[in-house]
């Protein structure tokens, strides 16, 4: 069942900061620097940075000073930033913004940028997929230039997702696999992962209830973590595992994610 020992375990930016009414997933505008020290104290080795569509203009990744600060924090706390959780938009500005994000990612050592297709951006039709290919054409050229992977996250069957990703015909595109999201769809995680194979460039650790249900604490939902990690080991996945676990109002975020880290460590050792 065990995954390779050199897989890093990290956490999504924002998950070590109290929500205070900001929802489940948000960029911690004033607290993002503090998360590096918190991550180190807990025992994480990396943080996946978060860029939101409605706030990318103010994200430190998009400034020279901000990227310099991120690099300084990496060195101070020995916390890497191997990936960036991004977004998708059908608007005309998107390709140029994503090319900028890719260039900035190269400055901080990130090698994978997630593009998520959820809510109003779900890929329902061939027209939706055609638009996505058009919007990502320029960013893929940029990604190839910088040696960065764009990883698609979408709640689609493994064969359909594989076909969609391969339709780009680019070495710079892959898949970001969210264990909880896929488990909530009722799929066989191990079979999914073996089908997608080396197209998987990133993994989110999450647990959810069945039939698209809510996120819940790790180990209390429908996810077959044992089967998933065994399959990830079999395909030779050696990237980071990024925690995106459910919040719990009954426990502070640092303590909660400490228990989550322990949960994942038992699966990878």
């Amino acid at each position: 069942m065990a995954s390779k020992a050199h897989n890093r375990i990290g956490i999504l930016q924002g998950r070590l900061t109290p929500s205070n009414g900001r929802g489940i997933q948000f960029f911690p505008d004033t607290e993002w620097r503090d998360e590096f020290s918190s991550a180190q104290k807990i025992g994480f080795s990396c943080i996946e940075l978060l860029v939101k569509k409605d706030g990318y203009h103010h994200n430190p990744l998009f400034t020279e000073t901000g990227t310099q600060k991120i690099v300084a924090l990496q060195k101070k706390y020995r916390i890497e930033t191997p990936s960036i959780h991004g977004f998708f938009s059908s608007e005309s500005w998107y390709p140029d913004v994503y090319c900028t994000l890719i260039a900035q990612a190269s400055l901080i050592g990130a090698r994978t940028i997630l593009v998520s297709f959820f809510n109003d951006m779900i890929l329902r039709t061939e027209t939706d997929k055609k638009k996505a290919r058009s919007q990502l054409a320029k960013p893929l050229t940029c990604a190839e230039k910088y040696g960065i992977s764009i990883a698609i996250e979408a709640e689609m069957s493994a064969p359909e997702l594989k076909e969609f990703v391969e339709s780009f015909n680019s070495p710079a595109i892959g898949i970001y696999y969210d264990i909880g999201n896929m488990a909530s769809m009722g799929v066989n995680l191990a079979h999914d992962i073996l089908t997608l194979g080396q197209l998987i460039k990133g993994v989110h650790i999450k647990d959810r209830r069945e039939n698209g249900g809510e996120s819940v604490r790790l180990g209390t939902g429908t996810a077959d973590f044992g089967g998933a990690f065994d399959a990830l080991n079999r395909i030779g996945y050696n990237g980071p595992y990024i925690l995106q676990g459910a919040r719990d109002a009954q426990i502070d975020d640092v303590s909660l994610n400490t228990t989550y880290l322990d949960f994942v460590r038992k699966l990878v050792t």
Side-chain angles (χ1 to χ4, degrees):
M1 179 190 306
S3 180
K4 294 185 178 180
H6 57 264
N7 285 106
R8 293 157 292 172
I9 305 174
I11 189 164
L12 179 64
Q13 192 173 47
R15 295 302 172 111
L16 295 176
T17 299
S19 172
N20 294 332
R22 288 176 285 188
I24 295 175
Q25 190 156 301
F26 59 90
F27 176 77
D29 297 271
T30 59
E31 307 100 333
W32 67 269
R33 301 168 186 81
D34 300 329
E35 290 201 335
F36 281 81
S37 60
S38 296
Q40 183 197 53
K41 289 176 183 176
I42 293 171
F44 289 112
S45 62
C46 55
I47 291 176
E48 179 170 279
L49 303 183
L50 178 64
V51 177
K52 302 281 285 183
K53 176 182 176 181
D54 57 1
Y56 76 86
H57 308 81
H58 308 295
N59 193 293
L61 266 172
F62 283 81
T63 68
E64 181 179 355
T65 301
T67 54
Q68 290 174 349
K69 183 62 177 177
I70 291 168
V71 171
L73 290 166
Q74 289 174 340
K75 294 177 179 178
K76 180 177 181 179
Y77 295 106
R78 298 185 298 281
I79 296 291
E80 300 177 13
T81 56
S83 55
I84 297 171
H85 189 302
F87 61 92
F88 179 77
S89 173
S90 60
E91 297 174 72
S92 60
W93 49 262
Y94 179 79
D96 287 335
V97 167
Y98 240 69
C99 279
T100 299
L101 177 57
I102 289 165
Q104 295 301 101
S106 70
L107 300 177
I108 62 163
R111 287 292 172 262
T112 303
I113 301 179
L114 180 157
V115 175
S116 57
F117 291 90
F118 292 103
N119 301 321
D120 58 338
M121 292 291 111
I122 292 176
L123 300 172
R124 292 188 176 90
T125 67
E126 287 303 316
T127 299
D128 295 335
K129 294 176 183 178
K130 182 178 180 180
K131 181 64 174 180
R133 282 189 286 266
S134 174
Q135 289 291 86
L136 290 173
K138 185 174 181 178
L140 274 173
T141 299
C142 296
E144 291 171 7
K145 173 184 175 182
Y146 287 101
I148 287 175
S149 294
I150 291 178
I152 302 294
E153 183 182 358
E155 292 183 357
M156 302 163 66
S157 69
E160 182 183 8
L161 181 56
K162 183 178 182 181
E163 181 181 18
F164 174 62
V165 169
E166 289 179 340
S167 73
F168 286 87
N169 194 31
S170 169
I173 195 163
I175 292 164
Y176 208 116
Y177 198 81
D178 188 302
I179 289 175
N181 288 349
M182 302 313 296
S184 75
M185 293 176 60
V187 306
N188 182 309
L189 296 178
H191 184 267
D192 248 24
I193 291 165
L194 294 175
T195 298
L196 299 173
Q198 294 188 0
L199 286 174
I200 296 177
K201 306 299 182 183
V203 176
H204 275 159
I205 306 299
K206 183 193 298 176
D207 208 349
R208 287 176 63 182
R209 302 210 183 278
E210 64 278 359
N211 300 318
E214 65 180 353
S215 292
V216 293
R217 292 183 65 160
L218 299 184
T220 66
T222 62
D224 173 16
F225 287 104
F229 275 76
D230 179 61
L232 287 162
N233 184 42
R234 289 173 63 186
I235 66 170
Y237 176 74
N238 61 7
Y241 293 115
I242 302 297
L243 281 163
Q244 195 183 20
R247 293 180 184 270
D248 188 332
Q250 305 305 313
I251 184 173
D252 69 272
D253 297 288
V254 170
S255 297
L256 177 63
N257 283 290
T258 299
T259 67
Y260 285 166
L261 177 59
D262 291 339
F263 181 93
V264 177
R265 276 177 170 164
K266 292 175 183 177
L267 291 164
V268 302
T269 56

